[in-house]
Amino acid sequence: MRASQFFVSTLKEAPSDAEIVSHKLMLRAGLIRKVAAGIYTYMPMGLRVIRKVENIVREEMDRAGALELTMPMVQPAELWQETGRWDKMGDELLRFKDRHERDFALQPTSEEVITDTARQELKSYRQLPKNFYQIQTKFRDERRPRFGVMRGREFTMKDAYSFDRDVDAAGRSYDAMYAAYCRIFDRMGLTYRAVAADTGAIGGDRSHEFQVIADTGEDAIVYCPQSDYAANIELAEALPLLASRAAPGADLVKTPTPGKATCADVAALLGVALETTVKSLVLATDDVDEAGKPAGVTVWLLLVRGDHELNEVKAGKLEGLKNGFRFASEAEILEHFGCKPGYLGPIGLLKPVRVVADRTVANMADFICGANAEDFHYTGANWGRDLPEPDLVADIRNVVAGDPSPDGKGTLAIQRGIEVGHVFYLGTKYSKAMNATFLDEDGRPKPFEMGCYGIGITRIPGAAIEQNHDERGIIWPAAIAPFEVVICPVGWGRSDAVRDTATALYEALRAAGVDAILDDRDERPGVMFADWELIGVPHRVTIGDRGLKEGMVEYQGRRDAEATKLAVDGLCAAVLARLGGR
């Protein structure tokens, strides 16, 4: 590719609405242009990156035995209604009617369509296993699209779906996809972690997220530096920080704490460690009878240590809360506690509530908690003596750095990550809902055991940039860079020697299979260098008259602090060596 025939369109400044580094640099480097909120045109430079990402994904999916197809972006409501997701999906599912007043949606995902395909095409166990995948446009009507391609409304995904005859076979399909994902992200040159993740509403008992490590990541990744343990913070197990409960050592005292409604403020007022306080969170569940009619409300009091935070995902897995919960209303709180929030606690309740204590709280003694009276807290509170034992003891908090690792091999650390891939074991959630069955060896129909596996194709460039950039611009991993090498001739329009040497190197590199671009725009050196450093091409060769008189050119890697000289004789071989050989 010659730059004069390509489209290079860089900006000195990012638009004012660009938020994070990747968004700013993708706009400045001319990779994308905004069309509407969360919707972008991928310019030729950006599309080259996307195509390289897609090619790596295709090669590894094909290698793992998956079969590519393409499903429609526009999907009929009837399929979504079979699984109940037409109503459950919420406003992120963009619905519309065609001219015949039939309901359709723009797909954010394709479980329904692929399950419909399987029930029509896969009739016998002899046709299994099968894994179908697509690389297709998706649309999710985000309430507040932000961060450029990281949380857009229109995006490209690779989604794959496996169909197996039993759980063991489904596990093998899952493992094959997990291994393929590792190869994909290894080849892309990304620093990532595969972390155990919550299965959420999809269900099942196996789920891993592939997280690119970046300070701007939305997700918190918990890991143990001394072992292989890694999990999303929603799933990471929090062990009790106290091995056992000490005997009471203080009297229960109702202590004035005027205007101090937070654990931190109470601890500061009393001159004690925050770790001696207990935080109260009040939830409610709306009960129904066997006929599905309203049958009252159950109020729940969840207790975590003052320096800890409630993990709502963990709470949502508790018996009694797994069908959904909400935070209690102020009226419900006053009815059960006789006090407004800020001074709530488990002692002296007006009405019974279900008390759930975090593992650490259950082992605390002489703790401080709200007294259910404004401007007062209890000090010296103890289980068994001052209040009944909790109804349930469970892991309901987020882990914090320094907690013991659940595998017993060290302590936990936390870093930020950007989710670029996710593998799920679905089980029979969709196949049963849609009556998707095959005839097993015994001649009886059985529902498919399914898995789903997604990769955010258009999110990967943003994640790569967040992980690889400096003050000059992007630093692409070579495998997904728009070009591997840029040749920068200084004085292209006035020097035959420069022009001939640059052209010869360009043609030799292309013949060797290198994705090179020759910048024949005849720009000033400063403009050329600034453009290609911003765009992030990994390798640059600069050719000028002064160096050619000495039989030399300059090579500089995008991460190199200085250029090095290469001899014109054997130049192509020397450049190929810098690329790791061909």
Side-chain angles (χ1 to χ4, degrees), residues 44-94:
M45 193 74 73
L47 188 60
R48 290 182 67 86
V49 176
I50 296 299
R51 292 290 179 253
K52 291 188 176 183
V53 169
E54 290 178 350
N55 288 341
I56 291 173
V57 170
R58 277 196 175 92
E59 288 172 7
E60 293 302 335
M61 291 300 293
D62 294 347
R63 176 181 170 186
L67 303 168
E68 186 171 9
L69 48 66
T70 299
M71 290 175 277
M73 184 177 179
V74 175
Q75 299 182 355
E78 289 85 353
L79 295 178
W80 286 75
Q81 287 164 349
E82 285 189 58
T83 61
R85 293 209 298 174
W86 182 259
D87 297 317
K88 292 178 182 177
M89 195 72 177
D91 291 339
E92 288 187 354
L93 183 65
L94 184 62

Side-chain angles (χ1 to χ4, degrees), residues 159-239:
D159 46 327
Y161 304 91
S162 60
F163 296 86
D164 288 278
R165 63 185 295 190
D166 55 37
V167 174
D168 289 342
R172 290 190 291 272
S173 293
Y174 185 99
D175 291 340
M177 285 295 96
Y178 184 101
Y181 275 38
C182 291
R183 293 193 299 269
I184 286 167
F185 297 120
D186 286 343
R187 285 183 59 183
M188 289 181 186
L190 300 174
T191 301
Y192 69 94
R193 288 185 182 273
V195 302
D198 180 65
T199 56
I202 289 182
D205 59 2
R206 295 188 73 184
S207 174
H208 286 85
E209 294 172 351
F210 287 77
Q211 298 269 0
V212 168
I213 306 306
D215 291 339
T216 52
E218 290 186 283
D219 298 320
I221 304 167
V222 178
Y223 69 100
C224 177
Q226 295 81 32
S227 72
D228 294 330
Y229 180 82
N232 187 295
I233 198 165
E234 294 176 340
L235 187 70
E237 182 182 4
L239 298 179

Side-chain angles (χ1 to χ4, degrees), residues 319-538:
E319 197 62 44
L321 294 175
K322 61 176 58 176
N323 291 326
F325 64 84
R326 57 181 172 79
F327 283 93
S329 68
E330 185 168 336
E332 289 166 337
I333 290 172
L334 287 170
E335 179 184 355
H336 288 77
F337 295 85
C339 179
K340 68 179 184 180
Y343 303 93
L344 306 181
I347 301 175
L349 301 171
L350 296 182
K351 283 185 149 184
V353 302
R354 293 274 292 166
V355 178
V356 181
D358 180 66
R359 291 169 169 178
T360 295
V361 171
N363 284 346
M364 289 175 67
D366 298 333
F367 56 85
I368 299 169
C369 62
N372 294 319
E374 188 171 354
D375 293 335
F376 285 91
H377 283 75
Y378 280 120
T379 59
N382 283 273
W383 296 105
R385 187 192 70 181
D386 306 313
L387 72 161
E389 294 290 339
D391 297 298
L392 180 64
V393 175
D395 171 19
I396 57 171
R397 71 173 176 91
N398 286 331
V399 300
V400 295
D403 279 356
S405 178
D407 62 8
K409 296 182 179 179
T411 57
L412 296 176
I414 298 176
Q415 58 191 180
R416 308 301 298 181
I418 300 167
E419 183 185 345
V420 292
H422 205 153
V423 291
F424 271 110
Y425 164 59
L426 294 174
T428 58
K429 177 181 175 70
Y430 291 91
S431 55
K432 282 186 175 179
M434 299 183 69
N435 194 29
T437 63
F438 65 97
L439 291 181
D440 205 1
E441 198 168 5
D442 59 6
R444 296 180 179 178
K446 286 180 61 177
F448 296 104
E449 293 285 342
M450 292 175 58
C452 70
Y453 318 94
I455 289 179
I457 299 294
T458 46
R459 178 176 263 215
I460 285 174
I465 293 169
E466 291 295 331
Q467 191 176 84
N468 300 277
H469 66 271
D470 61 15
E471 68 282 356
R472 293 174 290 169
I474 302 166
I475 308 175
W476 287 112
I480 59 174
F483 298 97
E484 290 179 86
V485 180
V486 58
I487 301 167
C488 293
V490 178
W492 170 268
R494 63 177 183 272
S495 171
D496 291 342
V498 167
R499 193 163 50 250
D500 292 346
T501 304
T503 302
L505 176 60
Y506 168 70
E507 292 176 348
L509 289 174
R510 296 285 291 174
V514 177
D515 191 9
I517 185 167
L518 172 61
D519 192 345
D520 59 348
R521 297 176 297 166
D522 205 20
E523 290 279 9
R524 291 177 289 108
V527 173
M528 274 196 299
F529 297 163
D531 277 350
W532 297 111
E533 287 175 342
L534 173 60
I535 293 166
V537 175

